[in-house]
Amino acid sequence: MPRIQLRITGDRDVFDDVINAIHGLDRIEYVEEIDDFGSDIRDDSSSLDLSDDVASRTYTVEIEVPNDKVGERVREVAEETAGTREAAIEFVYPDENEI
């Protein structure tokens, strides 16, 4: 079964809205938040904790779907929901070695 992993940068409310929208779709196998311990670590400490950085955080979620058609619908809904809340969304494609 195809798995979709996505990251959302924004506040917790935006992330929860995206998760709720995905849960509202038919035929979703599971949706699981993934702890991404490296997401809070910045390579450039010169801008660490500036006011622009403090308000948002990156959240990662993994979704399992039965087929590519449902997966495409998940991507559409996630992108639309995050976009209406002006949050950044990134679709993470697994390394071929992990499949």
Side-chain angles (χ1 to χ4, degrees):
M1 288 191 198
R3 287 188 183 186
I4 302 165
Q5 211 177 76
L6 57 93
R7 289 188 193 119
I8 298 170
T9 302
D11 63 21
R12 183 67 195 203
D13 290 341
V14 174
F15 179 72
D16 290 340
D17 286 350
V18 173
I19 296 300
N20 289 335
I22 292 169
H23 274 296
L25 297 173
D26 291 334
R27 302 182 65 204
I28 303 299
E29 299 295 325
Y30 80 85
V31 178
E32 181 179 349
E33 182 176 356
I34 299 172
D35 290 332
D36 192 1
F37 297 110
S39 67
D40 292 332
I41 299 172
R42 295 185 56 101
D43 292 334
D44 177 15
S45 63
S46 65
S47 61
L48 189 62
D49 290 333
L50 290 178
S51 61
D52 289 347
D53 285 346
V54 176
S56 64
R57 182 166 179 245
T58 301
Y59 300 92
T60 305
V61 64
E62 185 172 84
I63 304 110
E64 189 169 301
V65 295
N67 57 48
D68 290 334
K69 183 177 179 181
V70 176
E72 185 59 35
R73 184 69 184 135
V74 166
R75 288 181 193 91
E76 290 171 0
V77 167
E79 193 168 18
E80 180 180 316
T81 304
T84 60
R85 298 287 305 273
E86 298 181 4
I89 187 166
E90 173 187 10
F91 295 95
V92 182
Y93 296 95
D95 184 8
E96 291 181 14
N97 297 327
E98 294 177 15
I99 298 175

